[in-house]
Amino acid sequence: MRKPFALTMAVSTMLLTATFSCKKSAVKEAANVISQDDKDLIASAGFNKEWAENTPEGFLIEGDILLTREQLNDLSGATASNNFVVANEEHYRTFNLVSTPGSGSRTITVSLSSGFPSYYSTALNNALARYNSYNLKINFVRVSSNGQINITAANLGTASNGGCILGRASGFPQNGNPAPGFVLSNSPCATSYINTTGKADEVIAHEIGHTIGFRHTDYANRASCGGPGESAGTIGAVYIPGTPTTVSGSYNSWMMACTNGSPSFNSADGTALNYVY
């Protein structure tokens, strides 16, 4: 059974959520209430105002995008005139990408903080090797600390629907640079899912995809999760030419909204990576 990923921005959060249930107190529910003014702000930024919740770090939108009020204010003044979304076309990128030299490659450093089991280190190495195997204009190199993409650990708890939050990315590219990293949850429910090298690899590779500008493969309908679809927002959801025009819930892309436990990239994922980078 697929588990839903979730993304965040500004943290842009990419959350990988598992469907665990829990009972929320009235106090917690009240804290998550969003005012009409906040809903209007979310809508003006181009997102689904009815699929959002208030969190200590910002607004968790559409289950996988975490934005601060400041970011929402910035996005509400932007325009999505270059949004080339075509319904049912599947691989997407944001408007903002990592800048690369015309004929050369750019190195992006990645670091893993302390607080993870040893197999997470192996998983990160595997994920970076898989990206680098495509000989893209971006090349990932692991460093011991202070990477341009830094992976940290924290207990992210659960979403308002009781789902277990597995990870949360810190955004999409800005000013030509990748988002600065992401958090992987070390909560008991998260580690009960991310319990093998393969699953850690899968989550890490997916989160890295967001930091360099990829959106969910099934953005339009979240076919892997059973819907509903996500909003393009002003960050954009630009179709990547040469990728499939329809996918089903069992489609095995590294950027599907919900995961099936496999870290593999399929042939269309390779097409998307090579087209963008």
Side-chain angles (χ1 to χ4, degrees), residues 109-112 143-150:
T109 57
V110 185
S111 54
L112 182 70
V143 294
S144 59
S145 62
N146 299 318
Q148 291 168 289
I149 297 174
N150 186 44

Side-chain angles (χ1 to χ4, degrees), residues 145-270:
S145 62
N146 299 318
Q148 291 168 289
I149 297 174
N150 186 44
I151 307 168
T152 56
N155 187 334
L156 298 179
T158 58
S160 61
N161 66 356
C164 178
I165 300 172
L166 303 182
R168 186 174 66 202
S170 58
F172 293 110
Q174 287 188 314
N175 302 317
N177 296 312
F182 50 90
V183 178
L184 297 180
S185 184
N186 58 12
S187 69
C189 66
T191 55
S192 70
Y193 175 77
I194 311 175
N195 58 4
T196 66
T197 300
K199 287 182 179 179
D201 178 351
E202 175 194 26
V203 179
I204 289 170
H206 183 105
E207 298 288 358
I208 288 174
H210 282 302
T211 67
I212 60 175
F214 288 94
R215 294 201 63 173
H216 290 148
T217 301
D218 53 345
Y219 146 84
N221 56 24
R222 289 176 71 94
S224 61
C225 304
E230 301 167 8
S231 167
T234 49
I235 56 175
V238 181
Y239 169 66
I240 300 172
T243 61
T245 55
T246 58
V247 301
S248 70
S250 61
Y251 188 70
N252 189 33
S253 168
W254 106 105
M255 292 305 297
M256 290 291 274
C258 287
T259 177
N260 67 353
S262 170
S264 300
F265 290 175
N266 67 25
S267 60
D269 293 338

Side-chain angles (χ1 to χ4, degrees), residues 15 21 24 36 43 50 60 75 88 94 104 109 113 118 124 142-143 153 159 164 179 182-183 190 192 204 234:
L15 310 170
S21 62
K24 301 181 295 294
Q36 187 58 51
E50 301 303 330
L60 181 59
L75 289 170
N88 295 325
T94 59
T109 57
S113 70
S118 60
L124 174 57
R142 183 166 175 186
V143 294
C164 178
F182 50 90
V183 178
S192 70
I204 289 170
T234 49

Side-chain angles (χ1 to χ4, degrees), residues 29-181:
E29 288 174 346
N32 289 336
V33 169
I34 295 181
S35 69
Q36 187 58 51
D37 286 345
D38 289 337
K39 287 185 176 182
D40 291 342
L41 177 61
I42 290 166
S44 69
F47 295 99
N48 187 339
K49 68 180 181 180
E50 301 303 330
W51 187 5
E53 64 181 273
N54 207 350
T55 77
E57 296 103 335
F59 297 97
L60 181 59
I61 300 167
E62 298 179 359
D64 68 356
I65 304 173
L66 183 62
L67 296 166
T68 64
R69 189 181 303 279
E70 180 180 6
Q71 284 180 308
L72 285 170
N73 280 322
D74 289 343
L75 289 170
S76 68
T79 175
S81 60
N82 294 321
N83 194 339
F84 303 122
V85 174
V86 178
N88 295 325
E89 292 183 327
E90 301 302 339
H91 282 72
Y92 298 94
R93 64 169 177 84
T94 59
F95 296 146
N96 295 336
L97 297 173
V98 176
S99 60
T100 59
S103 58
S105 63
R106 175 178 176 176
T107 296
I108 298 173
T109 57
V110 185
S111 54
L112 182 70
S113 70
S114 60
F116 292 105
S118 60
Y119 64 84
Y120 276 67
S121 179
T122 303
L124 174 57
N125 291 338
N126 291 347
L128 298 185
R130 195 162 60 258
Y131 274 106
N132 290 339
S133 70
Y134 288 96
N135 296 315
L136 307 172
K137 286 188 175 182
I138 53 174
N139 179 62
F140 295 99
V141 173
R142 183 166 175 186
V143 294
S144 59
S145 62
N146 299 318
Q148 291 168 289
I149 297 174
N150 186 44
I151 307 168
T152 56
N155 187 334
L156 298 179
T158 58
S160 61
N161 66 356
C164 178
I165 300 172
L166 303 182
R168 186 174 66 202
S170 58
F172 293 110
Q174 287 188 314
N175 302 317
N177 296 312

